[in-house]
Amino acid sequence: MVSIQSETHQILIVEDDENTAEMMRLLLADAGYEVMTADMAEAAIDRIELGVPDLILLDLHLPDAHGIDFLNSVRRQSFIPMIVISGFTHQQEKVAALEAGADDFLAKPFAKDELLARVKALLRRVEWTPEPQTRIRVRKLELDMPRRQAMISGRRLHLTPIEYGLLATLMRRAGETVTHNDLLLAVWGDNYKGDFSVLRVNISRLRQKLEDNPRRPRYIVTVAGQGYTMPIE
């Protein structure tokens, strides 16, 4: 297979099932990625300490730790893009993974093309910078797009790639109502139309970082039945 990458991205697969890990490793390597594997959470942490990967594919059920605990541990130190892959597809588990800081969730069994599409889409979102603006300001909130940094009242916000994408989309359309599906399309892509749970969880996480009182938001306001808006005053 011809490589589809313009530059090599390093991906860490954290998966204890040997057959699944090897299938993903070969698939991603054939697509032009540099791939590492770890079959336990402790081994994955060691890999990360040796060099931060560009993306992590994480199975939730590991022999030495639950994936949610691993997620929480990594998120305390880094915003490495992470896709959770799980054979347990209960909505509660999906929401728990997203709340812990996962950028995406893929249920087993999955199609190989879908895995590649999710990986490509998340890496593209990490690198994406809207043009032609380089800075956007909404009241005390400022977005520095070349640096991919957000500040509010002089305080830096530490955002995951998904949170950054949501914030950039809402700030570029400040004063408008951005529908649920418009946000899903802008940040996650075509495959997420109607997946309001992933949107709600990430909006909630973003509010926790952004708002003085997340229960009475001033920057990301719900428009009942439609979507969200960022008031300009």
Side-chain angles (χ1 to χ4, degrees), residues 12-218:
L12 172 60
I13 298 170
V14 187
E15 167 66 68
D16 68 315
D17 182 83
E18 291 184 12
N19 292 332
T20 302
E22 181 64 6
M23 178 273 291
M24 290 194 292
R25 188 192 69 79
L26 291 173
L27 178 69
L28 293 164
D30 283 348
Y33 297 100
E34 182 181 338
V35 186
M36 305 179 297
T37 61
D39 59 1
M40 293 194 293
E42 184 177 358
I45 294 294
D46 290 341
R47 287 279 193 178
I48 293 169
E49 289 177 349
L50 290 173
V52 178
D54 296 296
L55 185 146
I56 295 174
L57 297 174
L58 172 66
D59 178 44
L60 282 186
H61 300 275
L62 301 170
D64 60 337
H66 194 281
I68 298 295
D69 296 327
F70 175 84
L71 258 169
N72 286 325
S73 176
V74 172
R75 279 290 175 257
R76 284 194 288 269
Q77 307 172 48
S78 171
F79 291 104
I80 305 168
M82 280 194 271
I83 300 175
V84 163
I85 300 176
S86 176
F88 295 85
T89 57
H90 299 300
Q91 186 72 7
Q92 185 177 358
E93 183 173 69
K94 178 179 179 180
V95 169
L98 293 169
E99 287 180 338
D103 296 291
D104 200 354
F105 186 99
L106 184 61
K108 296 178 181 178
F110 51 83
K112 294 179 179 180
D113 288 347
E114 183 175 9
L115 175 62
L116 282 178
R118 299 285 185 101
V119 167
K120 287 173 62 179
L122 184 51
L123 288 171
R124 188 165 58 244
R125 287 195 292 271
V126 172
E127 297 170 347
W128 172 74
T129 299
E131 295 292 347
Q133 298 150 299
T134 58
R135 285 182 182 270
I136 305 176
R137 181 182 292 274
V138 178
R139 291 177 281 156
K140 296 180 180 180
L141 179 62
E142 184 175 356
L143 203 64
D144 182 338
M145 291 183 172
R147 295 183 179 182
R148 297 185 61 82
Q149 291 181 1
M151 305 279 289
I152 185 164
S153 300
R155 172 176 61 88
R156 183 177 174 185
L157 300 173
H158 297 279
L159 306 176
T160 67
I162 292 295
E163 292 163 355
Y164 174 87
L166 283 170
L167 189 61
T169 302
L170 288 166
M171 290 182 71
R172 295 187 78 197
R173 296 180 60 180
E176 304 176 32
T177 294
V178 186
T179 68
H180 298 117
N181 278 322
D182 280 352
L183 278 169
L184 287 166
L185 179 63
V187 179
W188 282 273
D190 292 330
N191 293 333
Y192 283 82
K193 185 176 181 180
D195 191 350
F196 300 139
S197 63
V198 70
L199 179 58
R200 284 195 299 269
V201 170
N202 280 279
I203 288 288
S204 176
R205 273 182 13 202
L206 185 53
R207 281 174 170 162
Q208 292 291 331
K209 298 178 180 183
L210 177 63
E211 305 281 2
D212 291 333
N213 183 354
R215 294 186 178 183
R216 298 175 63 89
R218 297 176 59 248

